[in-house]
Amino acid sequence: MEEFSSGDFQLPMPLHFKADGQYGYDLKTALQDIKNLKITNEGLSLIAEGKIQEVKEGNEYDLKGEWSKAKPDILSKWIPEKMMSSLKSYSFFGESDGKFSWRGKSSSSTSPDLLLEGQWKNGGFSSPDIEKEVKNLDVQFVYHTADGEHKGKSTLQCTVEKNSTFGDDFRGLFHIIDLDNPIADIQIKGNIEGALINMVSAPFFTFQEGNLDIEEFDIQNINFSKQPFQHLLNHGKWHIKTNGIKSVYVNNPTSWSKGEFKSDPANGMHFEFDQLSWSKA
């Protein structure tokens, strides 16, 4: 496939794959009928079936199927850059499987709703901003590109789990509405590398090394484009203990051996550090 576009989606580079299955096209009704279509390439295996009806100014899709052995490090090459802009410095590994549906009209002004329900197993990531890889993540996710329960906005629900060598196992619940202008509910508990928080934290603060022991983290309706840190201080409840942290705050290297952070709307914020180092860039 050299080119493909649907609504505001455009394939960024040619996609090569092998396909096998039954395909029919009715010249009278302009209906495409797909049965037991099997698609494989270096990044995944996929089985699909359904119908595509040509309509005025576009196509009406009703497709469903399953995928397996999906490798995010390979598939990311075909995701448009604007969809990956916040994650462009990350390299991902692991495999994913799940099921999907693609229903609705595709035209110059509308896109079908792509629904993905799956899991990412034994996953992890690395980045030049962190000193070692984050490994052994298991993620359950449901992604809508046009969720009817949220006025056609995109939505993402994730459960992230990671077994911990020291401290409690990590579990994070994330519900994000409108990935173009995200508003999120986040609940986190357990022990985790600080680098994992970089993916949902403000860009002016980056963890490079160290662990977080999160006894409580609960924030609702946080808007990442409108003073997220202020919203976290005013409305969030969190109690976090840290050990051996290296980070960058507004381009300034910071580090501390041990620390404890508490905050809730009723009692305000409280910090404690054993030793804090701040080097102004």
Side-chain angles (χ1 to χ4, degrees), residues 211-213 240-245 256-261:
N211 281 44
L212 307 179
D213 185 6
I240 303 172
K241 297 178 180 178
T242 64
N243 187 33
I245 294 294
W256 59 89
S257 54
K258 291 185 179 180
E260 185 170 359
F261 306 81

Side-chain angles (χ1 to χ4, degrees), residues 134-137 160-164 169-170 191-193:
V134 174
K135 300 179 179 179
N136 302 319
L137 295 173
V160 182
E161 297 179 322
K162 185 180 189 300
N163 292 334
S164 176
D169 292 346
F170 175 84
N191 189 280
I192 191 67
E193 297 99 322

